[in-house]
Amino acid sequence: MKNRSAFLAGVSLFCCFCLLVASGVIGGWSSKGLRAWGILVAEVLAFFLPTVLLILPLRRGEPLKIPVSTKRLSFPTVRFAIYIGVAVSFVSFLLNLACLQLFGQDIASMNPASFRSSDIGSYFFLYLFAIVVVPAVVEEIYLRGALLRVFSRYAGTGLSILLAALVFAMLHGSLYNFLGPLVGGLLFGWLTFVYDSIWPAVIAHMVNNLFYLLILWFTDAFSAFGIWSHFPSVCVLLALVFTYLSLCAAERLFLTGRVPHFAQGQHGLAAVRALVMNPASLAFVAAFFAKTVFGVI
């Protein structure tokens, strides 16, 4: 089959999206402790199965190797990933907050798992594992490990990172929680490309997830004290600080010549046709609009 790996990428995306939607429906029926386990199992299934679905058929002829090297995972690398993770957290939160205010929605719309801080209680470490650690690992293995590699077979590095970021945002399944994941996906993809490893992106992703968990607790615990009159301003200040720190660290990488040049792929339109216009990818896009725009899923 021509463009076989692109078609398999679309199949895996459609499978991933369907599993996430189904787990969201089932998760709303569970109790506090079971909900954490449900989130954990749903994340593993929703991203591990599509990864297997994408890798196994390609094991012969055009094998897909996930970049899991730890050779460049030094202290400066970890620190840089943390800076980016914190910067992404504040920037994405502010972007999503702006979208919510623009459309007159409550901040609860940014909580796709539909749980409150009061649900955590004695299950703190379980929720920490289920919300912060596991999603960062399995999502990066699939999105920046497998999917980005497939995209790179057709498109150049820049377009591949953009497409993977768009997919990352779409899999969050909400128009109000779209811009934040898009920004995060772009930077996580760039980190994976620079270090040829998913682990810096995993670290940044974990920081972002931890921020999300803390914000959920913070807004639940202190919303009655009128924190929203000052909280966005504090977020803007911290976003600027950590963006500056991230840019300084990135500048050092560029000056020392440790950032590879973007690879060239097919012509942009040809790559997009191969990756987006196949039946499986169109089914994924249709499912996304059916859920987020028309609300029929």
Side-chain angles (χ1 to χ4, degrees):
M1 178 191 295
K2 186 180 179 180
N3 297 326
R4 179 166 173 260
S5 55
F7 177 75
L8 288 171
V11 171
S12 70
L13 281 171
F14 182 70
C15 174
C16 180
F17 189 81
C18 291
L19 287 170
L20 287 173
V21 172
S23 65
V25 174
I26 296 172
W29 302 338
S30 57
S31 60
K32 295 179 182 179
L34 288 177
R35 187 169 300 168
W37 282 109
I39 294 170
L40 183 61
V41 172
E43 280 286 328
V44 172
L45 290 178
F47 290 96
F48 177 73
L49 288 181
T51 302
V52 172
L53 187 64
L54 184 56
I55 289 177
L56 285 185
L58 298 177
R59 65 189 184 279
R60 294 180 181 177
E62 43 179 349
L64 189 67
K65 185 178 179 182
I66 294 177
V68 292
S69 172
T70 58
K71 290 182 179 178
R72 298 182 65 185
L73 202 60
S74 60
F75 176 73
T77 302
V78 173
R79 182 178 58 194
F80 181 36
I82 291 174
Y83 286 162
I84 285 185
V86 177
V88 165
S89 300
F90 284 111
V91 171
S92 62
F93 174 78
L94 290 168
L95 287 171
N96 288 339
L97 184 62
C99 287
L100 290 174
Q101 291 181 336
L102 180 64
F103 292 100
Q105 297 292 318
D106 186 76
I107 191 174
S109 300
M110 280 197 290
N111 181 5
S114 299
F115 67 90
R116 298 177 62 84
S117 63
S118 57
D119 294 338
I120 299 175
S122 59
Y123 303 103
F124 174 76
F125 288 105
L126 179 57
Y127 271 94
L128 189 69
F129 195 62
I131 300 297
V132 176
V133 179
V134 171
V137 174
V138 296
E139 290 178 21
E140 292 306 319
I141 287 175
Y142 174 59
L143 290 161
R144 256 66 64 172
L147 206 63
L148 183 59
R149 286 293 170 108
V150 171
F151 289 171
S152 298
R153 293 178 173 182
Y154 298 89
T157 303
L159 182 56
S160 298
I161 291 174
L162 174 60
L163 289 174
L166 283 170
V167 165
F168 182 52
M170 292 170 73
L171 289 175
H172 281 73
S174 170
L175 292 178
Y176 310 118
N177 189 26
F178 187 89
L179 290 180
L182 178 62
V183 171
L186 289 171
L187 289 172
F188 299 160
W190 184 78
L191 277 174
T192 302
F193 166 72
V194 168
Y195 292 102
D196 195 26
S197 173
I198 62 169
W199 297 116
V202 168
I203 293 169
H205 198 156
M206 275 197 249
V207 171
N208 183 69
N209 290 349
L210 180 61
F211 174 85
Y212 156 73
L213 197 61
L214 292 175
I215 286 296
L216 177 65
W217 166 79
F218 190 76
T219 53
D220 270 5
F222 298 104
S223 59
F225 297 95
I227 60 170
W228 287 110
S229 58
H230 305 289
F231 190 62
S233 300
V234 174
C235 286
V236 169
L237 177 62
L238 291 174
L240 291 173
V241 169
F242 280 94
T243 298
Y244 172 75
L245 292 173
S246 300
L247 290 173
C248 288
E251 182 184 34
R252 287 192 289 271
L253 282 176
F254 279 105
L255 290 176
T256 54
R258 285 182 286 175
V259 178
H261 295 290
F262 277 11
Q264 297 296 318
Q266 298 180 23
H267 186 271
L269 289 178
V272 170
R273 278 198 299 268
L275 293 169
V276 179
M277 301 306 293
N278 65 77
S281 296
L282 290 175
F284 164 64
V285 174
F288 168 75
F289 279 99
K291 180 181 185 298
T292 59
V293 178
F294 302 107
V296 297
I297 297 180

